[in-house]
């Protein structure tokens, strides 16, 4: 491969030196004008220097402000993105802590036991759940509406293992659950057991009895919900059971 050889171009060389001479003359004139200005009007030079320094400082400040603005914009963009992701995330349903944490019902106070039963109702789809137990409650501790619209009235009896729910407890509850509270499903929940007369009375009145073992099954989901054990579930029987009182 042959290398290209460049010859000496007199015209190009002359033009280059002419241009160089013009540049030198212009620079010399500029230097001379500057020197004359410094000699005749030194105040203007000071003003020009001050303006130049101020311009440099202003440019530096603007660059710094621009950097801060970029960082702030990036932070706002990140916050907006996080907020958008939070809004798009599916809402977490609020649940009572009692139903998730409490297992040993015997360790609760009576008020906490009522809250725990209300939490189970809410967990299993009931609406309008209220804890109304207290002085003058007339036998109702928890009120709720089942998923199919029935009114549930629950009385809570937190008894020890040796203290069984007797027929008198059922009779007091049976005297108000249907007539006063207009229950479609009346439930008595206990941490212990029921006496035979109590169970017999409950069967005659259509009251659902939930003992300690049944309560544990309801809690862990292995057993039925109380309103599923009501007389005549799936037919009109639950309506007639409450209408007799």
């Amino acid at each position: 491969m042959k290398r290209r050889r460049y010859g000496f171009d007199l015209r190009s060389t002359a033009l280059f030196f002419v241009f160089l001479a013009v540049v030198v003359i212009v620079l010399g004139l500029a230097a001379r004008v500057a020197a004359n200005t410094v000699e005749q009007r030194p105040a203007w030079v000071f003003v020009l220097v001050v303006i130049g320094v101020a311009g440099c400082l202003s440019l530096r400040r603007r660059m710094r402000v621009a950097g801060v603005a970029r960082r702030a914009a990036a932070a706002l963009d990140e916050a907006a993105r996080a907020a958008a992701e939070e809004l798009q995330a599916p809402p977490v349903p609020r649940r009572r802590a009692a139903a998730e944490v409490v297992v040993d019902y015997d360790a609760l106070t009576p008020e906490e036991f009522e809250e725990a039963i209300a939490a189970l109702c809410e967990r299993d789809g009931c609406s309008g759940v209220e804890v109304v137990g207290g002085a003058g409650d007339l036998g109702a501790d928890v009120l709720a509406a089942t998923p199919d619209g029935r009114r549930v009235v629950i009385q809570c009896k937190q008894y020890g293992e040796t203290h069984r729910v007797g027929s008198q407890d059922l009779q007091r509850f049976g005297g108000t659950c249907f007539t006063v509270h207009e229950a479609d499903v009346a439930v008595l929940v206990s941490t212990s057991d029921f006496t035979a007369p109590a169970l017999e009375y409950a069967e005659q009145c259509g009251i659902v009895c939930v003992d300690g073992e049944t309560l544990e099954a309801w809690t862990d989901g292995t057993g039925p919900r109380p309103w599923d054990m009501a007389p005549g579930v799936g037919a009109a029987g639950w309506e007639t059971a409450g209408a007799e009182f």
Side-chain angles (χ1 to χ4, degrees), residues 1-202:
M1 181 176 182
K2 295 182 179 181
R3 294 184 178 179
R4 184 177 179 179
R5 300 179 64 182
Y6 297 91
F8 177 74
D9 191 343
L10 179 61
R11 183 179 178 183
S12 300
T13 304
L15 290 175
F16 171 75
F17 280 108
V18 170
F19 176 75
L20 182 60
V22 172
V23 172
V24 171
I25 292 172
V26 171
L27 291 177
L29 290 175
R32 185 175 179 180
V33 171
N36 292 334
T37 303
V38 171
E39 183 178 352
Q40 297 176 3
R41 298 180 179 180
W44 283 98
V45 177
F46 177 74
V47 171
L48 292 176
V49 171
V50 171
I51 292 175
V53 172
C56 292
L57 293 177
S58 176
L59 179 61
R60 182 179 180 184
R61 187 179 299 108
R62 289 183 180 180
M63 293 178 62
R64 183 179 302 172
V65 171
V68 173
R70 284 194 298 269
R71 290 193 293 271
L76 289 175
D77 183 67
E78 183 66 24
R81 187 180 299 108
E85 293 176 354
E86 190 71 21
L87 290 175
Q88 293 175 357
V92 179
R94 177 180 167 274
R95 297 178 62 183
R96 295 176 185 246
E100 299 176 352
V101 177
V102 175
V103 175
D104 187 5
Y105 291 107
D106 294 326
L108 300 178
T109 64
E111 292 78 12
E112 290 172 341
F113 181 58
E114 293 173 1
E115 287 285 346
I117 298 304
L120 288 177
C121 295
E122 192 173 65
R123 183 199 69 182
D124 289 345
C126 289
S127 58
V129 180
E130 295 182 75
V131 178
V132 295
D137 59 16
L138 297 178
D141 294 322
V142 178
L143 302 178
T146 64
D148 58 2
R150 288 176 290 167
R151 179 175 175 81
V152 179
V153 178
I154 303 176
Q155 186 178 77
C156 304
K157 293 295 184 183
Q158 189 188 27
Y159 289 164
E161 294 182 359
T162 59
H163 188 174
R164 303 168 71 186
V165 180
S167 60
Q168 291 184 351
D169 295 319
L170 267 298
Q171 290 173 17
R172 283 191 292 267
F173 181 51
T176 60
C177 60
F178 295 113
T179 57
V180 176
H181 301 294
E182 300 179 345
D184 296 321
V185 180
V187 182
L188 198 151
V189 180
S190 175
T191 51
S192 66
D193 202 349
F194 294 81
T195 64
L199 292 175
E200 183 179 354
Y201 178 85

